[in-house]
Amino acid sequence: MSDAKYFQRGKIQELRAELNSDKRDPKHTKKKTVMKKIVANMTMGNDMSPLFPDIINVMNVPILEIKKMVYLYLINYARSKPDMAMMAITMFIKDVEDPNPLIRALAIRTMGYIQVEKIIDCLIDPLSHCLRDQDPYVRKTAAICVAKLYMYDRGLVESERLIEKLRDLLNDPNPTVVANAVAALTEISERSDDIQLSLNLSVASKLVTALNECSEWGQTYILEALMYYVPQDSGNAELLAERITPRLQHANSAVVLTSVKVIVYLMNYMEKEEDISNLCRKLSPPLVTLLSAEPEVQYVALRNILLVIQKRPEVLKNDMKVFFCKYNDPIYVKMAKLEIMFCLANAGNVDQVLSELKEYAAEVDVDFVRKAVRSIGRLAVKIESAAQRCIAALIELIETKVNYVVQEAIVVIKDIFRKYPNQYESIIGTLCENLDNLDEPEAKAAMIWIIGQYADRIENADVLLDDFLYTFLEEPVEVQLALLTATVKLFIKRPTAGQDLVPKVLKWATEEVDNPDLRDRGYVYWRLLSTDPAAAKAVVLSEKPQISTETDNMEPALLDELLLHVSSLASIYHKSPTTFISNYKPRYLMPSPVLQRSRSSQFESNLPIPQTTEVQEQKEATAANRLSFNGNGYDFSGFQTGNPYATEVVNRPEIRQSQVTGGADLLLDL
């Protein structure tokens, strides 16, 4: 029968009367019914705390189902009524010694949840006894209870040497007990400032052996703990990785991803490239299999795959097709797949990828289309041999006259011009035909940059810029900066065409805007043009640094850190856990004679890497951007200018990053 009937608001007096009824009830059926009503009312948010003394009396009932509900009630109300909770201590002590292991485990678990000082004091002796209980179910429950107690009173756990007793459970013959002991030790290590879990080869091997007999979540705990083993020999790392590879075939996605994390971690301590390549090939099939799961699991897998292939490009290098988007994929899955397609693209498969991206650009989802168009441009920058085909595809998309497609195409074409100067300028005419479609700041700024950069080749560049200047004061700063620079470029390349535009742009930039970046750039250009037009030309038209898609890749230090957090929120956000979890204890690759320093040179000491702070160190600008201005007025190109402002170079004090102190005061050498 359904329990829905119990979810009705009950009166305290009626429930108390039912609990204390003297009617004959040998099987305690009525008490079970009234306890269900009380728990249902608790669930609905009704205050059942006045029944506390009556519930204590029910603890004597030797029925497991009733005890579970009584303990649930105590957990819910003990903190708000600590004095009444003391009444339950005698029954707790009695239940901890009950012949039934389920009741013993239930009692010790409940006492761990009730974080009332006097109950905690009474918990120590029963907990120590339960850690050595003959039944494995009680031992595994007690192991987790130690971790809970540590969160409440760390000093008490350490003084009673419960961590040492917990460590002894790693040698327990029951794999479930081992898994819970590992989970508790890992949790304690992560939350403690002075305790660092450290496994030796012997314990690590025992844990791997226990994997075969553990539940799927027990396997996850054990695999997570193996991240605390630091190989001192390349052969040990290879052997351990090989023993873990069978877990890659597990049906549970958490086990698979955690296994991937451990194997990728152990690769940092391997010397033979052949062994690393073999393991990379073994990682591909299980990762592909995860893409057949439900969309949420797919997304988690895709975000983690993106990290793995940046560190180990050999993984999935031949599996491009599995990342092609399906019509029924959610948008977040499609976006993640696009990123991976771009990362895996190379000269051999670029035609396949380009064909897919062109199809995606005709989809109806605007964000997806934008990302697809931008990916085509990034492909051109990444793979030089495919640049011409990518340009042709972008021109086809521009000719569709779809507003957002045109604007995204112009933005990426600017990057292509930066990457390949003086090669694809023939398409500028096509771009100029679509000026009326531009209404987004980034697209406007890109088009203005193109006009300024090729002002000597665009006959009506001055007219085009003048059209943009009509709304100069209303434009976003990004567009204003582009207009200022493009106008100065036009003047330097074609003085006659630009002499009417430069004075008013400089006047607007220095007198009528509030943005300091725009105003300062206006002053720099003004004084450069006033004092030395040749120097202005050298600065403004200087050769631009070549761009590449490598700047899209994650910083190596951050990537190495995130790979230690595969299958966690950090690997989905692609952010260090320290940025969204307060007081988080950072992980880092521990030093070892076989740590591949060429790949992870930043992990050369046993101190934690200083974490990135909100305020970055302010670096001094280059001399080209720190100009001292002298003089008041200069005549250039037929008009008089004057800059009443003079800037002074000020040496600012450096803002230093705070150093994160590290080192473990207490090592759990296991």
Side-chain angles (χ1 to χ4, degrees):
M1 185 179 292
S2 172
D3 288 339
K5 62 182 179 181
Y6 299 117
F7 286 84
Q8 298 176 7
R9 187 177 183 88
K11 295 181 179 180
I12 297 294
Q13 295 85 351
E14 295 177 358
L15 294 172
R16 179 179 287 119
E18 291 183 45
L19 278 176
N20 299 322
S21 174
D22 294 331
K23 292 182 179 180
R24 183 176 175 81
D25 187 19
K27 295 185 178 180
H28 304 285
T29 306
K30 293 180 179 178
K31 279 190 170 55
K32 185 189 299 184
T33 301
V34 71
M35 283 304 304
K36 286 184 178 181
K37 292 179 181 179
I38 293 171
V39 171
N41 274 270
M42 284 168 42
T43 305
M44 293 187 293
N46 300 329
D47 184 16
M48 295 286 109
S49 60
L51 294 172
F52 208 110
D54 306 283
I55 296 293
I56 296 296
N57 295 330
V58 181
M59 290 182 71
N60 291 310
V61 177
I63 305 298
L64 182 61
E65 188 176 357
I66 293 178
K67 279 191 176 291
K68 286 182 179 180
M69 291 187 283
V70 169
Y71 284 159
L72 182 61
Y73 178 94
L74 293 176
I75 291 171
N76 198 43
Y77 290 115
R79 291 186 189 179
S80 60
K81 295 185 177 295
D83 295 335
M84 288 189 176
M86 297 299 299
M87 300 164 57
I89 290 179
T90 303
M91 294 306 303
F92 277 132
I93 299 301
K94 179 182 176 182
D95 285 350
V96 166
E97 298 174 354
D98 194 277
N100 187 337
L102 295 178
I103 292 179
R104 295 201 301 274
L106 187 61
I108 203 71
R109 176 191 298 151
T110 305
M111 290 179 74
Y113 271 118
I114 301 176
Q115 295 177 351
V116 176
E117 186 173 354
K118 292 185 179 180
I119 290 184
I120 293 297
D121 292 339
C122 297
L123 171 64
I124 299 300
D125 289 339
L127 180 57
S128 299
H129 179 75
C130 287
L131 287 170
R132 300 187 300 272
D133 195 280
Q134 61 181 358
D135 192 277
Y137 183 79
V138 179
R139 295 199 300 274
K140 83 177 186 65
T141 304
I144 297 299
C145 188
V146 174
K148 292 177 187 173
L149 183 58
Y150 186 83
M151 303 307 129
Y152 176 74
D153 191 338
R154 301 183 180 189
L156 181 63
V157 171
E158 293 175 4
S159 64
E160 295 293 334
R161 306 182 68 82
L162 291 177
I163 294 179
E164 285 78 359
K165 296 175 183 177
L166 192 60
R167 183 176 61 185
D168 294 339
L169 289 182
L170 293 179
N171 295 318
D172 196 280
N174 187 286
T176 305
V177 176
V178 173
N180 278 29
V182 162
L185 286 170
T186 303
E187 185 73 15
I188 290 171
S189 175
E190 289 180 350
R191 291 178 179 265
S192 173
D193 294 329
D194 53 5
I195 295 178
Q196 176 64 46
L197 182 62
S198 177
L199 305 181
N200 58 30
L201 179 60
S202 174
V203 174
S205 297
K206 290 180 181 177
L207 293 181
V208 174
T209 302
L211 280 173
N212 294 326
E213 302 177 44
C214 285
S215 67
E216 52 192 17
W217 298 115
Q219 292 182 40
T220 304
Y221 292 139
I222 289 177
L223 289 167
E224 192 71 43
L226 291 175
M227 297 291 289
Y228 291 95
Y229 167 63
V230 182
Q232 301 299 310
D233 179 79
S234 180
N236 293 338
E238 294 161 9
L239 178 61
L240 199 61
E242 284 295 337
R243 293 180 65 188
I244 292 172
T245 49
R247 301 299 104 201
L248 295 172
Q249 312 304 320
H250 202 281
N252 187 296
S253 55
V255 175
V256 174
L257 280 177
T258 311
S259 300
V260 170
K261 171 168 64 176
V262 178
I263 292 172
V264 171
Y265 162 73
L266 292 173
M267 286 181 188
N268 291 296
Y269 298 92
M270 296 182 189
E271 296 175 344
K272 297 179 182 178
E273 290 297 332
E274 181 181 355
D275 293 330
I276 294 175
S277 297
N278 288 336
L279 285 172
C280 286
R281 285 195 292 271
K282 291 179 180 180
L283 290 179
S284 298
L287 291 174
V288 170
T289 302
L290 290 177
L291 300 182
S292 302
E294 54 270 22
E296 294 80 7
V297 175
Q298 285 187 52
Y299 181 72
V300 172
L302 290 167
R303 295 294 285 175
N304 284 279
I305 287 170
L306 188 56
L307 294 175
V308 173
I309 62 177
Q310 287 186 58
K311 179 74 172 182
R312 304 290 176 185
E314 314 96 283
V315 180
L316 297 166
K317 65 179 181 181
N318 298 320
D319 295 289
M320 172 66 79
K321 288 187 177 181
V322 301
F323 298 104
F324 288 171
C325 299
K326 300 175 183 177
Y327 75 95
N328 58 347
D329 280 339
I331 183 62
Y332 56 88
V333 170
K334 289 182 177 180
M335 293 293 204
K337 284 184 174 180
L338 277 181
E339 283 293 331
I340 295 175
M341 286 172 61
F342 172 75
C343 285
L344 294 178
N346 55 48
N349 60 23
V350 67
D351 287 333
Q352 274 186 323
V353 176
L354 187 56
S355 175
E356 281 291 312
L357 292 176
K358 286 168 67 176
E359 287 189 26
Y360 301 159
E363 295 281 346
V364 295
D365 190 288
V366 175
D367 291 333
F368 182 52
V369 171
R370 286 179 181 275
K371 184 105 174 176
V373 174
R374 188 157 295 205
S375 296
I376 294 174
R378 292 169 66 201
L379 274 182
V381 175
K382 179 181 180 180
I383 306 171
E384 185 172 357
S385 60
Q388 183 64 56
R389 282 166 283 173
C390 292
I391 287 282
L394 290 171
I395 293 300
E396 287 181 24
L397 293 174
I398 289 175
E399 289 174 350
T400 63
K401 301 296 183 181
V402 178
N403 183 275
Y404 53 87
V405 172
V406 171
Q407 300 195 83
E408 282 297 326
I410 289 176
V411 170
V412 294
I413 285 173
K414 170 202 166 184
D415 293 335
I416 295 173
F417 284 167
R418 282 281 307 277
K419 175 71 174 179
Y420 310 110
N422 305 316
Q423 290 190 36
Y424 301 108
E425 287 73 14
S426 58
I427 67 171
I428 292 177
T430 304
L431 302 182
C432 292
E433 294 173 2
N434 293 275
L435 293 181
D436 294 337
N437 291 329
L438 306 183
D439 54 22
E440 297 174 4
E442 189 178 10
K444 281 187 178 181
M447 191 67 225
I448 291 167
W449 182 90
I450 293 172
I451 294 171
Q453 188 69 16
Y454 298 99
D456 53 341
R457 305 185 190 185
I458 303 175
E459 293 182 3
N460 62 337
D462 54 332
V463 176
L464 297 177
L465 288 177
D466 197 25
D467 290 340
F468 281 110
L469 288 172
Y470 279 124
T471 56
F472 180 86
L473 296 176
E474 289 77 38
E475 295 289 357
V477 173
E478 179 182 3
V479 178
Q480 290 176 331
L481 287 168
L483 276 170
L484 175 59
T485 301
T487 305
V488 173
K489 285 181 180 179
L490 171 65
F491 174 76
I492 291 174
K493 293 181 177 183
R494 295 166 56 191
T496 304
Q499 64 180 357
D500 293 333
L501 301 180
V502 168
K504 61 181 181 182
V505 173
L506 290 177
K507 182 177 177 63
W508 287 337
T510 56
E511 296 180 8
E512 299 189 30
V513 296
D514 296 326
N515 185 273
D517 292 333
L518 181 60
R519 197 166 58 242
D520 288 350
R521 186 181 294 190
Y523 292 149
V524 170
Y525 287 158
W526 195 330
R527 193 52 63 105
L528 275 174
L529 293 172
S530 301
T531 56
D532 190 348
K537 181 176 181 179
V539 171
V540 177
L541 302 183
S542 61
E543 185 176 349
K544 307 296 185 296
Q546 195 174 65
I547 65 171
S548 72
T549 56
E550 291 181 5
T551 56
D552 296 334
N553 294 337
M554 199 170 289
E555 292 183 2
L558 177 59
L559 179 60
D560 282 330
E561 181 182 5
L562 292 181
L563 285 172
L564 299 178
H565 295 282
V566 166
S567 188
S568 71
L569 276 179
S571 66
I572 298 175
Y573 293 158
H574 286 188
K575 292 182 179 180
S576 169
T578 56
T579 62
F580 58 89
I581 302 177
S582 59
N583 301 321
Y584 182 81
K585 187 176 180 180
R587 288 187 185 179
Y588 51 94
L589 289 174
M590 295 293 287
S592 164
V594 292
L595 178 61
Q596 301 303 302
R597 299 190 187 280
S598 60
R599 299 185 186 120
S600 306
S601 59
Q602 66 273 26
F603 300 110
E604 292 188 353
S605 71
N606 60 350
L607 294 177
I609 300 173
Q611 300 301 309
T612 304
T613 57
E614 290 293 330
V615 181
Q616 296 292 341
E617 183 177 357
Q618 301 296 316
K619 296 183 179 180
E620 290 295 325
T622 60
N625 294 326
R626 286 286 193 182
L627 302 175
S628 295
F629 299 132
N630 297 302
N632 294 317
Y634 301 90
D635 181 42
F636 66 100
S637 299
F639 63 92
Q640 185 76 16
T641 68
N643 184 358
Y645 303 93
T647 63
E648 180 182 359
V649 178
V650 178
N651 292 323
R652 304 180 186 278
E654 291 185 351
I655 300 175
R656 300 187 180 276
Q657 279 186 326
S658 60
Q659 297 294 320
V660 178
T661 58
D665 298 323
L666 177 61
L667 285 176
L668 293 177
D669 292 316
L670 304 176

